Amino acid sequence: MDRSTIQGHVIPSSVRPSVHPIAPSDSASVDGRFRIGTELKLGAVGVLVGLLTIPAFESLWTVWSTRDDASHGFIIPLITLYLIRRIWPELRQLPVRPAPGLGFLPVLGSLAGLLIGNTGSIVTLSGVSFITLSAGLALMLFGASWLRMLLFPLAYLLFMVPVFDSLLEPLQPYFQLLTATMAQTLLTQFGVPSYQAGTLLYLPTVFLYCYC
């Protein structure tokens, strides 16, 4: 009989506890959480949206460059990326539960809006369609929980679209100050020296007034 000795006592093998290796939980491998596959999916979606919206951003760039009251549009996408970066640790922990049925119609409508806006040089339609396309893809490929987390950063992109100037005019002073503060924070993150005075941002060679 096989015997083991522990502190001078002989224990028969028949009474020794069995040791079995613990297999990893199957649910852990299929829990739908952030994985390499999700990173590749995010990259592919980013490239696709970028290619589809190049004409829209070219038109928006022209508006931002030629209108003093729209010059803030340059920094709105950067602020949105900063907002997403801040929630990234929480975002990547969310379960990935695609909802193609819910996201299909928004994506289809957004693509149609981009096509019409780009063909007819309708800047407002192109800009809004880009935002709704991003939201629809988030819902269709990653699920409602991802869209909820991304809702505010995506909605903030509306301030780069000129059509909302008149609709949001009563709120403009507050959003001007908010945008200036967030832009100054973003510049600090990148090590760019800047000074904020209300809605004015002073950089080493230029100053920026946040009209949004």
Side-chain angles (χ1 to χ4, degrees):
M1 178 182 295
D2 182 27
R3 296 173 180 270
S4 295
T5 303
I6 301 179
Q7 295 182 350
H9 300 280
V10 178
I11 302 177
S13 59
S14 59
V15 297
R16 292 204 309 269
S18 301
V19 178
H20 300 284
I22 300 176
S25 173
D26 292 337
S27 62
S29 60
V30 294
D31 63 354
R33 293 190 181 277
F34 194 85
R35 298 181 301 271
I36 297 299
T38 305
E39 290 180 337
L40 295 175
K41 188 188 294 185
L42 280 171
V45 169
V47 172
L48 175 63
V49 172
L51 292 175
L52 289 174
T53 56
I54 286 176
F57 272 93
E58 287 177 344
S59 300
L60 285 169
W61 187 280
T62 301
V63 173
W64 301 338
S65 303
T66 56
R67 285 181 48 180
D68 289 339
D69 62 342
S71 61
H72 63 276
F74 290 109
I75 62 175
I76 297 298
L78 297 177
I79 291 175
T80 295
L81 290 176
Y82 172 72
L83 292 173
I84 294 175
R85 179 178 176 272
R86 291 196 62 178
I87 63 173
W88 187 249
E90 294 83 8
L91 188 63
R92 66 182 300 173
Q93 296 301 319
L94 292 176
V96 177
R97 297 186 179 125
L102 295 175
F104 177 75
L105 286 180
V107 168
L108 186 63
S110 300
L111 291 174
L114 276 174
L115 179 62
I116 296 171
N118 293 338
T119 303
S121 299
I122 308 174
V123 179
T124 298
L125 181 58
S126 299
V128 174
S129 297
F130 160 73
I131 299 169
T132 56
L133 175 63
S134 301
L137 286 172
L139 176 62
M140 186 169 69
L141 298 177
F142 302 103
S145 58
W146 279 63
L147 179 59
R148 280 193 295 269
M149 286 285 289
L150 292 169
L151 197 57
F152 177 72
L154 292 177
Y156 198 83
L157 288 172
L158 291 172
F159 294 107
M160 71 180 184
V161 183
V163 69
F164 292 97
D165 290 349
S166 59
L167 298 177
L168 299 175
E169 187 174 358
L171 300 175
Q172 276 189 353
Y174 305 101
F175 287 117
Q176 287 172 356
L177 184 60
L178 176 62
T179 298
T181 302
M182 296 177 70
Q184 201 271 337
T185 303
L186 184 62
L187 290 170
T188 301
Q189 292 282 333
F190 282 96
V192 178
S194 60
Y195 173 74
Q196 179 186 355
T199 57
L200 280 172
L201 285 177
Y202 292 92
L203 280 70
T205 57
V206 296
F207 72 90
L208 175 68
Y209 179 66
C210 298
Y211 277 95
C212 65

